[in-house]
Every structure is written in C-alpha cells, then in structure tokens.
Amino acid sequence: MTMCLITLTSLSLPVREDAALGTVIALISVSDLDSGANGQVTCSLTVHVPFKLVSTFKNYYSLVLDSALDRETTPDYKGW
C-alpha cells in the first residue's frame, strides 16, 4: 500500500474578490513514501478555475490566483 502525504498551508483565506493576480493562496507539499520512480508525484487542478499551481521546489507547489474572481457568478470554490 502506498502512502502519500499532503500538507496544505493556507496563507490568505478567505480570498478577497479584488485580490491581485499572482496572489499566493496556499502552499502545498506532496510526498510519496515510495522510492525512485514510484515516489514521484504530480499535482494538477481541474480545468476552469481561477487558480494555477506553480512548482516552487521538488514536491512543493504554490496555489496562485490566475484570473479575476467574481463572487456574483461563483460565490465559492469547493472540491477543485
């Protein structure tokens, strides 16, 4: 059985609707306890969200605001 560890550190919740593009929302650390190729991890987001993942270091990512937020059309993001 493979064990994957995910650590999410929220930096700015809730996110303001007028937050600047490029605002870092959270830091994410992902690790797999397997070794070699079996221990490599890849992170991605579903399509059509105003965020992107930026790889900052091996197995570390920043969740960054990538487009404008509009609370009237999308009041929240869950399960992305």
Side-chain angles (χ1 to χ4, degrees):
M1 182 164 107
T2 300
M3 177 171 256
C4 184
L5 301 173
I6 300 172
T7 304
L8 176 69
T9 304
S10 173
L11 298 179
S12 121
L13 290 178
V15 178
R16 294 177 45 97
E17 184 176 19
D18 62 350
L21 299 184
T23 297
V24 177
I25 308 301
L27 301 175
I28 302 166
S29 169
V30 182
S31 60
D32 188 324
L33 299 181
D34 287 342
S35 60
N38 291 335
Q40 294 179 357
V41 296
T42 302
C43 292
S44 62
L45 296 173
T46 60
V47 294
H48 309 298
V49 293
F51 311 104
K52 66 180 177 180
L53 284 175
V54 177
S55 178
T56 55
F57 189 69
K58 181 182 178 185
N59 298 341
Y60 288 87
Y61 298 85
S62 294
L63 180 68
V64 177
L65 186 61
D66 192 39
S67 62
L69 299 174
D70 184 348
R71 302 263 188 237
E72 285 75 32
T73 59
T74 309
D76 57 30
Y77 294 89
K78 296 179 183 176
W80 39 266

